[in-house]
Amino acid sequence: VILRDPVHGLIPFDTEEDQIVVRLLGAAEVQRLRRIRQLGVTSLAFPGAEHSRFVHAIGTAHVMKRLIERLRRVQGDLPAWQRLTTEHAREALAAALLHDVGHGPLSHLFEDAIAGALPHEQWSTRIILDGDSQVSRMLAAEGAELAPRVAELVLGRHQLAYLAHAVSGTVDVDRCDYLLRDAHATGVPYGRYDLDWLLRSLRFAPLPDPDAGATLAVDGAKGVVSIEAFVLARLFMFQQVYFHKAARAAEWMIRAILSRAAALLSDGTSLADVPAAIAQAAAGRPVALGDYLELDDDVLWGAMHAWESAADPVLADLTRRLRARSLFKTLELYEEAESARSRALETARDIARQQGLDPNAYVGLDIASDTPFTDSDDPLAVVFPQGTTRKPGDVSFLLGRLRGETVTRARLIFAPELRDRIRSALGS
Amino acid sequence: VILRDPVHGLIPFDTEEDQIVVRLLGAAEVQRLRRIRQLGVTSLAFPGAEHSRFVHAIGTAHVMKRLIERLRRVQGDLPAWQRLTTEHAREALAAALLHDVGHGPLSHLFEDAIAGALPHEQWSTRIILDGDSQVSRMLAAEGAELAPRVAELVLGRHQLAYLAHAVSGTVDVDRCDYLLRDAHATGVPYGRYDLDWLLRSLRFAPLPDPDAGATLAVDGAKGVVSIEAFVLARLFMFQQVYFHKAARAAEWMIRAILSRAAALLSDGTSLADVPAAIAQAAAGRPVALGDYLELDDDVLWGAMHAWESAADPVLADLTRRLRARSLFKTLELYEEAESARSRALETARDIARQQGLDPNAYVGLDIASDTPFTDSDDPLAVVFPQGTTRKPGDVSFLLGRLRGETVTRARLIFAPELRDRIRSALGS
Amino acid sequence: VILRDPVHGLIPFDTEEDQIVVRLLGAAEVQRLRRIRQLGVTSLAFPGAEHSRFVHAIGTAHVMKRLIERLRRVQGDLPAWQRLTTEHAREALAAALLHDVGHGPLSHLFEDAIAGALPHEQWSTRIILDGDSQVSRMLAAEGAELAPRVAELVLGRHQLAYLAHAVSGTVDVDRCDYLLRDAHATGVPYGRYDLDWLLRSLRFAPLPDPDAGATLAVDGAKGVVSIEAFVLARLFMFQQVYFHKAARAAEWMIRAILSRAAALLSDGTSLADVPAAIAQAAAGRPVALGDYLELDDDVLWGAMHAWESAADPVLADLTRRLRARSLFKTLELYEEAESARSRALETARDIARQQGLDPNAYVGLDIASDTPFTDSDDPLAVVFPQGTTRKPGDVSFLLGRLRGETVTRARLIFAPELRDRIRSALGS
Amino acid sequence: VILRDPVHGLIPFDTEEDQIVVRLLGAAEVQRLRRIRQLGVTSLAFPGAEHSRFVHAIGTAHVMKRLIERLRRVQGDLPAWQRLTTEHAREALAAALLHDVGHGPLSHLFEDAIAGALPHEQWSTRIILDGDSQVSRMLAAEGAELAPRVAELVLGRHQLAYLAHAVSGTVDVDRCDYLLRDAHATGVPYGRYDLDWLLRSLRFAPLPDPDAGATLAVDGAKGVVSIEAFVLARLFMFQQVYFHKAARAAEWMIRAILSRAAALLSDGTSLADVPAAIAQAAAGRPVALGDYLELDDDVLWGAMHAWESAADPVLADLTRRLRARSLFKTLELYEEAESARSRALETARDIARQQGLDPNAYVGLDIASDTPFTDSDDPLAVVFPQGTTRKPGDVSFLLGRLRGETVTRARLIFAPELRDRIRSALGS
């Protein structure tokens, strides 16, 4: 199979080793990702951001394939037990493709909004291991050990530590693909780092002793720039896209809708078109895998559409606003102290109450934050010609200044009719 | 409003004149286009092709805005009654945005498959004119004449003939956007002609007499290349994407499914989850606008999902195959004579019968064709410095050789289990 | 060595096999190409077109390297004697790098203008074979057979016919690089065909008999598009860039200057700053290699600068005009008959005479022509899954219509002061 | 005139206002920039970096034209005396085109190497003001005040302070063009910030009082990202390209060659092919404008070529090495203390002496540094919807962390034969 991809150009899966990807692409659980948009409601702010988690999964597997090719070219000095065998490669390819196979619809909203809902990583694990899934059967057909190893790898654990970091680390294959893909789809140019150069910069750090696990490194000052560019691409995408105020407001509204629906359901109120998975989670019952897999963006939008006619006025109002895209407004809070933010929230909640609106549903404090770079979690090193090894933050002017720093955007989110009073109360 | 777009970069709608676009974007009928993919099932062959008709509609309006700017710069010699007024500009912008507002789900399948279904252009007209639609109310708010003029323009008719050709002609704004957008999304590089140069090449042909309608022209040999590149971009996209065998096979299957479902329904068989619009059309009853607007890709996929459990074995089988993406195979027919193609089809149908398969559902002849260039329908001319006017096909080496030629791809489409026997019977 | 290239991205020459390229890059004769612009005076029309033959030579070697990788992947079915050995690969890489090493300054002007000057291909051969050149010594250091084979290959001859065609054929590595590079540098987008796809489409045609030489082919309808796109990219670049009227006019002037200077020199007139190679050629004496190699763009511009003060009024006038970039004008002749063109030229020459200008120096007829595609010279075939082989022009709609057709631009070129009279005399 | 440009696409100079650019393009002093490469010897490291200062000058004028368009759209609230008149616009366009018209060959080497040589800004001023230049005559033809104002503006001074900052400031038009152009030519992707967004983000800060001069600002958090991206693009280009070790080594060698030649000349030694400007500067005599303008890359390379046969062994050796591209090596010094660097230099000089090499010619300490961002010099502000104004470094996470920081690369540069001993002496 050779696919055309808008981000990577030609994507060939044409070796025996990577046929595992081709087979898994046919699994219903993987195909389901076609129905979940990678960026959730962000397309309300960036109309081009309509790409699905399916095409991102393909891209991630492709980056893993390229990474494997690179690692094999530079693993000559590793002891045999640390090298990438064909088995490891297939585990890595499958893990790359399946890294988000358990993702719920509309970004992380489902697991955040409904108490008791499992995080999506656990759903991914279940899909990989549960004998009822097509994915697990395809993996089992390749050998009994594959599924458990892929499940571990998706959680960032593997006997080859460098492979685990490649699935979940500072410059993992997931990020490698989504930065380029989200930049391509949104039209925001800042996410375009140089993947070719990054891959070519990779090598293994010299082993401190023969029993140590191998760790990845980049090649001197030339290589560090590829990490700098990657880290900055990610930071820009966070600031421009992932933290975009309209998308955050829409996400907040959906979370409020789902919480409200779950509360109503657990109080015994009946609602139309409730997906089974939501009904079960709201009732505190375990969600069956099959029910979970029925959830996708369309199903959730369909339910919210139905709830526009709900008896509960808050649920009906929120869903109507969302569908008509009359989104809540935001007010950026520049104060960094938590107490100041809480005071601002309380002020806004008071205003909502005075206008007869439920503050839980119509006012919120949204804090988005990210630490663009730290070199304490990831052993990724910089290797110099004479074999010296340094931390990226010690070599790079930029990374040194960003190391451990956290970028935070705090915003009040509220119904538009509250805007003037909130603004004047907060003096902004 | 300034939007970010992956194809055009920044898209500003920030003048008084183009606020009509901003308002219409809020209409439910326009928002519905978010739920219809521009390329239908083509994403089965090109995984990146997930963009919707919504973002294409925005892009089309943007190209129209740029075209209007260009026309105003070059209309100095036109008589006043031929110039682009603000009213005309708003008609043109609205028509560009709404040109496909009545499009059904999954490409043209719906109108092709169900006898009695209206073509989508008529639905567009209804949405624009029917007082119940949000679109029509928004247009009415701008003046009573706007809606009827926009409706006419969507059908390619306007008192300014050049404006009509800009909506529906050799190099219309619809094509201008979709070529670039489909190329961007599929990763097929061939659709990227040079829009900047094309716009800058445009001017008005000298008027033969003061009462004649103005017609568009390009500027000499420099301008002709922009048409050449455009025509070839379109030809390449047809050959690579729009005629892609997997997409054509999937479309054929969906058409077979919809025909089968319609036939069953009109025979009185009941099916699960039949969208109201399909039920009405199958019963030969007029389809209500509200019901039509409920149709989108998800609804249709949902119905086909439900029909996997239909009692009719053919309907159940076809829908199951489609959902599992086990698509029908194709065999390219190189013979150009219609009789040879019919013979090939009959041979294949016989083989189906012998294997106990209904030939109507399991074998088909798919003929895709396009005439990349003709200069007989469109008055677009080439103007030379001394005022001489020639037809593009008389100036251009390439266009001269393509003029009036038709590219055709004829293929048998059939269930995979028939492949070997069909191939050997047809000796290929 | 890993180079950064604006066209191909990273260019690694990092295997043992391709070190021949790295070594040859250091040869003075190759470095001389830095001082010869790929597009000669075309930068007068396209200011970005300042790239040299040096960077094109690197790019050509890179494309050859990628081609070799591809051929090795698909040569499994060839008999051993037809496969690409390391020796063949090094011949091919060296030939790609050196294909134009003998090129004179300012495009093909030198060899065209001075009677008795050798064509540049022969200079390339001399540089490769002459024991005094650094290139020949580097080649000799790798084995006695290398230089003669590289020299043959540069002329398009090799025991592996497909390798010869890769150096000089329909889709040779020279064209592969220059189309992309010239498009990149001029900003003309039309030269961007899809190199990745082209390479991936290549395979060997099935051998008619075991003793036949292998020939290259592309893979079915998917592969044909890569040739179509390539052929069209080249056609567009010819029409937009290589045939650009200002560049053609400047080239014509330089040719007139060189002819005039050569005539003066052979008459015994002395001129300032005459490069030795020109002096020898004008005197009908053989040009020494060392003298030839001293020629580059700067030297020629320097000589023409000096001739602005020549006693000969025509030489002085032409060089002054050229340096002040007051270029001759052009008039496109649309008549295709040769007699009509000759009549137009005679008319223009008469007008020059009447205005007291030497018609040989101030009026010319410039005919630029190219045959974009023919499949009679090159055995490149299209191979279908069942092994059928067809000619590209029989498979492709586009190539079928272009096959054997010739695009011609005929123009009168003349001093600006003649323009009005020539135009009115020719009625255009 | 409409030019095609690889960086900006179409560059039209087609209004009455910008005809000043078209006319100045014809001036001999501007045309001379075709013979000076923008990046000097950097093409030794990046073979694609062959673009000249001429095409950069065009690009800079184009960015200025776009900036003027933007400023006119947002200057509505300025008092009349602060608005951009047509006169100001022509001054700005001319200054943009001419900002480096006095640049010497091969980057800044000439003015650095030869004591008493004027800095290139002063040469630019002379060219603009000296009645003998074609530039000055063309400016004078437009009115007596134009030339002096353009000369002032090139030095960063103008009655409209914001215009002065646009020629020489944090985000000036010079940088706007060269970052994109150098990135395009080298193939280093990091210099590509988003010019469209930057221009669209610009507006004027609210005037503190009616008599204050207007200052530029960007629009809120959305606008700040355009400055972040710009600053980082520049930082990346410095680290990757402008500080590249091979280019710095070559530049150091050329500086050593020019210093040596100047010293020899002022000692009365005669050298072949010394350009008049160098002879005069070395003799401490003022350099005539005409002689200065004869200097370009070719002339300097020609002189260095001639000096390969100089009697002085050091001059001959250095020029031979340079032409054969056997460049000096570098050793990165990570210690930041100046004393440590001086010690390293002394160690290396001692080693040179021990090997019988003149330490001034064969060993050097090269310190390259840049302050990527400071908001103390430039009044550029960030304006928020309610009119609040903040400094970019107070709004931006990134700029706040970079503000006032300096990136420095310190390297020893030395002849290759010294490498092993220097490395082992310095323990690296």
Side-chain angles (χ1 to χ4, degrees), chain C residues 31 50-52 184 298 325, chain D residues 31 50 52 184 298 325:
Chain C
Q31 287 290 321
E50 301 183 311
H51 54 302
S52 73
H184 180 270
D298 307 330
R325 287 179 326 123
Chain D
Q31 287 290 323
E50 302 184 310
S52 72
H184 180 270
D298 308 328
R325 286 178 329 123

Side-chain angles (χ1 to χ4, degrees), chain B residues 191-415:
Chain B
R192 291 186 206 134
Y193 67 96
D194 186 354
L195 178 59
D196 287 350
W197 188 253
L198 176 62
L199 288 171
R200 197 171 276 276
S201 298
L202 289 176
R203 59 205 59 245
F204 286 101
L207 287 180
D209 66 276
D211 297 334
T215 58
L216 278 175
V218 293
D219 189 17
K222 286 189 303 191
V224 151
V225 73
S226 68
I227 302 185
E228 291 176 334
F230 185 90
V231 164
L232 286 166
R234 197 169 157 278
L235 173 58
F236 273 115
M237 288 301 284
F238 266 85
Q239 295 192 305
Q240 294 300 296
V241 177
Y242 309 142
F243 288 176
H244 190 280
K245 62 182 179 183
R248 298 290 297 194
E251 287 173 6
W252 193 91
M253 291 174 78
I254 296 175
R255 223 162 15 227
I257 288 167
L258 291 178
S259 303
R260 185 87 184 185
L264 291 168
L265 290 169
S266 71
D267 285 354
T269 313
S270 97
L271 293 173
D273 284 7
V274 178
I278 291 182
Q280 291 157 353
R285 284 192 301 269
V287 175
L289 179 57
D291 290 332
Y292 183 78
L293 290 171
E294 285 293 317
L295 282 179
D296 58 29
D297 287 6
D298 307 329
V299 166
L300 214 54
W301 281 111
M304 293 192 291
H305 186 16
W307 300 342
E308 292 181 42
S309 329
D312 178 65
V314 170
L315 185 64
D317 181 54
L318 288 178
T319 48
R320 269 179 225 142
R321 290 180 191 239
L322 182 68
R323 191 169 156 97
R325 287 178 328 123
S326 91
L327 301 183
F328 279 13
K329 297 299 176 190
T330 62
L331 180 71
E332 192 100 18
L333 300 178
Y334 289 99
E335 305 86 344
E336 290 187 18
E338 205 185 318
S339 58
R341 291 170 182 167
S342 300
R343 270 197 308 276
L345 175 61
E346 275 319 307
T347 304
R349 289 172 60 95
D350 286 345
I351 291 169
R353 272 186 217 104
Q354 290 157 22
Q355 300 209 187
L357 294 176
D358 175 352
N360 293 327
Y362 291 91
V363 172
L365 174 63
D366 180 60
I367 296 186
S369 74
D370 182 64
T371 302
F373 177 72
T374 164
D375 50 16
S376 53
D377 299 344
D378 192 314
L380 187 72
V382 188
V383 186
F384 288 87
Q386 277 69 37
T388 334
T389 294
R390 293 162 192 256
K391 291 200 157 208
D394 294 338
V395 176
S396 155
F397 173 76
L398 264 169
L399 298 180
R401 272 138 196 92
L402 292 179
R403 177 160 44 186
E405 301 270 353
T406 296
V407 54
T408 300
R409 300 287 281 272
R411 298 180 178 109
L412 286 184
I413 293 186
F414 41 81

